[in-house]
Amino acid sequence: MAVAFRGGRGGVGSGQSTGLRSFFSYRIFISALFSFLFLATFSVVLNSSRHQPPQDHTLPSMGNAYMQRTFLALQSDPLKTRLDLIHKQATDHLTLVNAYAAYARKLKLDASKQLKLFEDLAINFSDLQSKPGLKSSVSDNGNALEEDTFRVLEKEVKDKVKTARMMIVESKESYDTQLKIQKLKDTIFAVQEQLTKAKKNGAVASLISAKSVPKSLHCLAMRLVGERISNPEKYKDASPDPAAEDPTLYHYAIFSDNVIAVSVVVRSVVMNAEEPWKHVFHVVTDRMNLAAMKVWFKMRPLDRGAHIEIKSVEDFKFLNSSYAPVLRQLESAKLQKFYFENQAENATKDSHNLKFKNPKYLSMLNHLRFYLPEMYPKLNKILFLDDDVVVQKDVTGLWKINLDGKVNGAVETCFGSFHRYGQYLNFTHPLIKESFNPNACAWAFGMNIFDLNAWRREKCTDQYHYWQNLNEDRTLWKLGTLPPGLITFYSKTKSLDKSWHVLGLGYNPGVSMDEIRNAAVIHYNGNMKPWLDIAMNQYKSLWTKYVDNEMEFVQMCNFGL
């Protein structure tokens, strides 16, 4: 029994003791491990805090952000956050008030009540910002702001903010409208500047296009001269035609260096004449184009018995510099400088005066119209035609009009205050002011019936010479032939019915087609000549139908008509 008991106790006790020892050993091990980790961590923290450089305990560090923010919040002034907010509001509204004050100045409202209020408010905000309490507290220098001081400051700032907001709401709509108006004005001004510049550039380009010789015209002249050189015997000058001095016939004067233009004028007259064999054309050109002009009318003689006489300016020997003021002035060094120096440089600066710098305005070919009685001494009447006209009807009725002793029969161009003497002559000059009426109605060159006997009686050429000599320095009028024509034939011009001569087809797209159909003569005065690419399409066909397209050189030179 004793052995059995001892053995039984020893077996059970031995198992329990082993389990308890194992359990307590595991707990001791875990506790020791955690103790070690805690000590190690504490040691690391202690060492890092010892070696960390001293710093302001109120500033946050990167390692312990949460704890340090908490410490900062506990140690800071509780009014500072609200103070920062008030400072920001004051600053923002100061900027806004200054902006509206600037708008008011821009809109020229300097004397307005609103501008003064905005400026005063801006000064108040600036004073608030410069107060010692606000300035020192916002600068984070550690000084705490007293509760009472803060409340006074807060109330003052809020009152100013409220006032600023009320003023802005009240004036915003008005200012926005004014700003839109000002912006629109600025835009309009900018567009007007661009338009003015574009008009100047367009005027210069138009003048260049109008005054330069197109390739087709140059080609035609060269072909005609080449034909003359190739066949000299064929184009010998014929004996003078007695019809050229017969005063009982209908005589026309055409002065031009443009072969195709002259051919259209002559052809249109002949095709619409009832008795073409009674019509005589006196064509005068310059020496350079004389051969080409003669060859054209040799190759394409006039139909139905009409007569033509072709001469050059040089054939009229009386036209020299000692007699004609224009020729003398052309020899002047001063005038040559005006015409030929710095034209390219000044082209875009003064497009209006550029057109007067074209030498054609002072060329002898352009001024021949003032010497008609001396050029054709045996004639009584002559019809002067520009080379940019088209005759649409029989015009012999012009010779039957009673001019009442006047020299010139022409269509008047004035309407309202436009196209009167005051627009063509310099009435600030005492001679002009004393001699002419600025409201006198102007008339048109281009289709004029001249009574040469009355011209000789009135000594109109002498009058022309007198005034042309006085205008050598261009103080009486600019240039051209219309101003001296208005002077020469002042009170000596008979007004004709407007249906005889309709103008504007070279610049005015609004000429009525009814007027054009009823007109005896239509005139392409202006830069858009019908033989140029810039011609107005709606009028071009009225000219091209009289072009002799069967002429071989017209086809070869590609006129594109």
Side-chain angles (χ1 to χ4, degrees):
M1 288 295 291
V3 173
F5 176 77
R6 214 183 272 119
R9 185 179 179 184
V12 176
S14 174
Q16 290 179 347
S17 174
T18 303
L20 287 172
R21 282 197 303 269
S22 299
F23 174 73
F24 284 112
S25 298
Y26 177 75
R27 290 190 64 181
I28 291 169
F29 173 75
I30 292 299
S31 299
L33 181 61
F34 273 103
S35 299
F36 176 76
L37 289 175
F38 175 77
L39 291 172
T41 303
F42 182 76
S43 176
V44 170
V45 172
L46 185 61
N47 288 333
S48 63
S49 114
R50 284 179 180 175
H51 291 88
Q52 187 173 357
Q55 54 183 313
D56 191 348
H57 64 279
T58 61
L59 296 177
S61 67
M62 299 300 295
N64 303 305
Y66 175 76
M67 293 180 65
Q68 288 167 353
R69 279 198 302 269
T70 303
F71 289 137
L72 183 62
L74 291 173
Q75 295 175 4
S76 62
D77 188 345
L79 300 178
K80 190 168 189 313
T81 303
R82 291 167 62 190
L83 183 63
D84 290 341
L85 179 60
I86 290 172
H87 181 266
K88 187 176 185 306
Q89 284 183 337
T91 303
D92 292 345
H93 282 79
L94 173 62
T95 304
L96 196 58
V97 166
N98 283 328
Y100 270 86
Y103 292 158
R105 291 189 196 95
K106 184 178 180 182
L107 296 174
K108 299 179 180 178
L109 302 174
D110 297 286
S112 71
K113 181 180 178 181
Q114 286 181 336
L115 175 60
K116 189 173 186 311
L117 290 174
F118 276 128
E119 289 180 339
D120 291 344
L121 199 57
I123 293 170
N124 291 336
F125 274 121
S126 299
D127 292 342
L128 282 175
Q129 283 186 314
S130 62
K131 281 197 172 184
L134 181 61
K135 190 172 182 181
S136 61
S137 299
V138 172
S139 63
D140 290 332
N141 59 4
N143 297 329
L145 186 67
E146 294 182 1
E147 179 77 17
D148 293 339
T149 306
F150 171 77
R151 290 188 183 280
V152 172
L153 184 61
E154 182 180 34
K155 184 177 183 304
E156 192 173 354
V157 171
K158 284 186 175 181
D159 289 342
K160 297 299 181 185
V161 167
K162 184 178 179 181
T163 304
R165 287 178 178 175
M166 289 174 60
M167 287 181 58
I168 289 168
V169 169
E170 180 182 347
S171 59
K172 184 175 181 181
E173 183 177 351
S174 172
Y175 276 23
D176 287 349
T177 304
Q178 290 293 327
L179 282 172
K180 288 176 183 177
I181 293 172
Q182 186 64 37
K183 187 175 181 181
L184 184 60
K185 287 181 179 179
D186 293 342
T187 303
I188 292 172
F189 179 77
V191 171
Q192 285 178 338
E193 288 288 308
Q194 292 177 355
L195 180 61
T196 302
K197 186 177 180 180
K199 280 183 176 180
K200 285 183 178 180
N201 293 337
V204 172
S206 178
L207 285 168
I208 292 171
S209 299
K211 307 310 176 188
S212 57
V213 178
K215 183 179 179 181
S216 53
L217 283 181
H218 181 73
C219 167
L220 179 61
M222 293 300 100
R223 293 280 182 181
L224 291 168
V225 172
E227 174 70 14
R228 172 68 179 262
I229 294 171
S230 300
N231 304 283
E233 295 296 323
K234 187 178 178 180
Y235 298 103
K236 282 186 176 180
D237 291 337
S239 57
D241 186 350
E245 296 182 343
D246 187 348
T248 64
L249 301 179
Y250 303 110
H251 293 264
Y252 301 80
I254 307 169
F255 307 143
S256 173
D257 57 0
N258 188 327
V259 178
I260 194 75
V262 171
S263 72
V264 167
V265 176
V266 172
R267 200 161 186 254
S268 67
V269 173
V270 173
M271 290 178 66
N272 291 291
E274 294 178 0
E275 299 175 312
W277 56 89
K278 292 184 178 181
H279 294 257
V280 183
F281 299 93
H282 301 270
V283 177
V284 181
T285 187
D286 54 22
R287 185 185 306 169
M288 183 182 298
N289 291 281
L290 180 63
M293 198 77 73
K294 286 184 175 181
V295 170
W296 174 281
F297 287 103
K298 278 277 188 177
M299 295 181 69
R300 309 298 295 175
L302 301 185
D303 297 331
R304 305 168 66 193
H307 309 271
I308 189 166
E309 175 193 57
I310 302 173
K311 290 186 175 183
S312 70
V313 176
E314 290 74 19
D315 291 331
F316 299 94
K317 303 301 182 183
F318 70 91
L319 291 173
N320 51 62
S321 58
S322 62
Y323 178 69
V326 169
L327 290 174
R328 183 169 62 256
Q329 289 167 10
L330 276 174
E331 296 174 357
S332 164
K334 184 178 179 181
L335 202 62
Q336 289 178 7
K337 181 179 180 181
F338 172 78
Y339 274 118
F340 303 113
E341 284 192 9
N342 299 324
Q343 287 199 38
E345 178 183 344
N346 297 326
T348 56
K349 293 181 181 178
D350 194 355
S351 59
H352 176 71
N353 288 329
L354 177 64
K355 68 179 183 178
F356 295 115
K357 289 201 170 189
N358 192 321
K360 85 157 199 171
Y361 285 105
L362 208 59
S363 71
M364 198 61 237
L365 195 62
N366 207 36
H367 283 253
L368 280 179
R369 65 193 71 189
F370 295 105
Y371 298 96
L372 288 171
E374 295 160 285
M375 294 170 69
Y376 308 107
K378 295 184 179 180
L379 302 183
N380 299 323
K381 281 189 176 182
I382 194 167
L383 181 64
F384 170 76
L385 295 175
D386 271 342
D387 64 356
D388 55 353
V389 305
V390 170
V391 178
Q392 301 186 124
K393 297 179 181 179
D394 183 275
V395 291
T396 54
L398 287 168
W399 276 262
K400 300 171 185 176
I401 293 175
N402 183 4
L403 296 181
D404 299 325
K406 302 292 179 66
V407 177
N408 173 30
V411 170
E412 292 183 336
T413 56
C414 62
F415 60 95
S417 61
F418 297 98
H419 297 288
R420 297 190 179 273
Y421 271 53
Q423 290 183 275
Y424 299 97
L425 305 176
N426 179 19
F427 275 86
T428 61
H429 196 287
L431 277 176
I432 295 293
K433 188 175 182 178
E434 292 170 5
S435 305
F436 306 100
N437 179 6
N439 295 318
C441 189
W443 42 265
F445 263 136
M447 190 225 69
N448 306 80
I449 182 73
F450 287 110
D451 185 337
L452 300 183
N453 291 326
W455 186 317
R456 297 180 187 105
R457 184 181 66 248
E458 296 290 340
K459 298 182 179 180
C460 292
T461 302
D462 292 341
Q463 286 291 314
Y464 162 71
H465 282 176
Y466 171 76
W467 289 101
Q468 190 68 43
N469 280 322
L470 290 175
N471 195 50
E472 186 170 0
D473 56 357
R474 301 177 303 282
T475 56
L476 305 183
W477 67 86
K478 288 291 186 182
L479 289 172
T481 54
L482 182 56
L486 295 174
I487 288 176
T488 302
F489 303 113
Y490 181 65
S491 73
K492 303 180 185 70
T493 298
K494 170 80 172 182
S495 177
L496 304 180
D497 187 273
K498 292 185 182 296
S499 63
W500 282 111
H501 186 193
V502 171
L503 299 102
L505 278 70
Y507 72 91
N508 182 11
V511 180
S512 166
M513 291 307 297
D514 290 335
E515 283 187 78
I516 292 173
R517 280 190 290 268
N518 294 329
V521 177
I522 55 175
H523 194 169
Y524 292 83
N525 58 310
N527 288 332
M528 300 178 185
K529 302 299 183 187
W531 54 83
L532 298 175
D533 292 337
I534 60 174
M536 286 184 277
N537 292 329
Q538 66 266 41
Y539 306 138
K540 193 168 184 177
S541 61
L542 301 170
W543 183 85
T544 56
K545 69 180 181 180
Y546 292 106
V547 175
D548 189 352
N549 289 305
E550 295 180 2
M551 167 59 158
E552 58 181 300
F553 293 152
V554 171
Q555 299 173 7
M556 293 171 65
C557 290
N558 190 25
F559 270 82
L561 301 174

